[in-house]
Structure formats: C-alpha cells, structure tokens
Amino acid sequence: MESKFTGGLLGMIGIGILQGLIIVFTFGLGAPWAICLKERWYVKHTIIDGHRLTFDGTGAQLFGNYIKWFLLTLITLGIYSFWLTIKMQQWITKHTHMEVVPQ
C-alpha cells in the first residue's frame, strides 16, 4: 500500500486566504474555526495505506479548549504555554480518523 497527499497548491492557497479572512474579520475569535477548516482540508487530501482520513473536530470544541488552555497559562504564570503546541497536536490527532470502507 502507498500513502499520498492529493491536495494542490491552489487549494492550499485558497484555504490560507479563507483562514486569514476568518481570523481578521472576527478579530481572532474565529481562529479555532479557521484552524479546523485547514486541518479538515489537509486530512481530506491525505491517504495512508489506501485509507482516506477524516477530521471531526469543530471550532466550538477547539474554542472551549482555547479558553481552558488560556486559563491554565494564566494560573501557571505562563509555564503551561510550553505545552500548548503539544496539546494542540494531541487535539488534532484525537479528531483525525481513518475512514472505514465497507468490504
């Protein structure tokens, strides 16, 4: 089996522009939705060992985590911020699944 990425440059540019517009016009509050939009696009175009991936995370779920992570960063005087990249990747991975194809 082979793994591949089927996305193209124009699609990636389009997602990037749409992400930027969402973030700018919502003054940053739409960032979780923009991130989910990007992740959904990347995952939709990824095939691993012949299986397409799916992403089921939502902006509302991620926004809730943003609030939690922000409060933990405040309480720990910024120390928790060192773990934010890892927490974000864990959240993305948790919401990425292999599509089950009936046989």
Side-chain angles (χ1 to χ4, degrees), residues 13-86:
I13 290 171
I15 288 295
I17 290 170
L18 187 55
Q19 254 192 310
L21 291 172
I22 290 170
I23 292 170
V24 167
F25 285 115
T26 62
F27 301 104
L29 291 176
W33 286 269
I35 290 168
C36 287
L37 181 74
K38 179 194 71 159
E39 288 303 323
R40 192 166 284 109
W41 185 83
Y42 276 114
V43 165
K44 176 183 173 186
H45 293 285
T46 302
I47 299 169
I48 297 178
D49 287 335
H51 297 280
R52 190 165 294 280
L53 299 180
T54 59
F55 179 77
D56 66 5
T58 66
Q61 293 168 333
L62 187 53
F63 189 77
N65 279 320
Y66 267 36
I67 292 171
K68 178 177 70 176
W69 297 337
F70 175 73
L71 292 173
L72 285 168
T73 300
L74 282 178
I75 291 168
T76 63
L77 303 174
I79 295 172
Y80 191 76
S81 66
F82 293 111
W83 282 269
L84 291 181
T85 303
I86 293 168

Side-chain angles (χ1 to χ4, degrees), residues 1-6 45-51 98:
M1 288 282 179
E2 73 177 80
S3 298
K4 60 184 174 179
F5 181 74
T6 61
H45 293 285
T46 302
I47 299 169
I48 297 178
D49 287 335
H51 297 280
M98 270 195 189

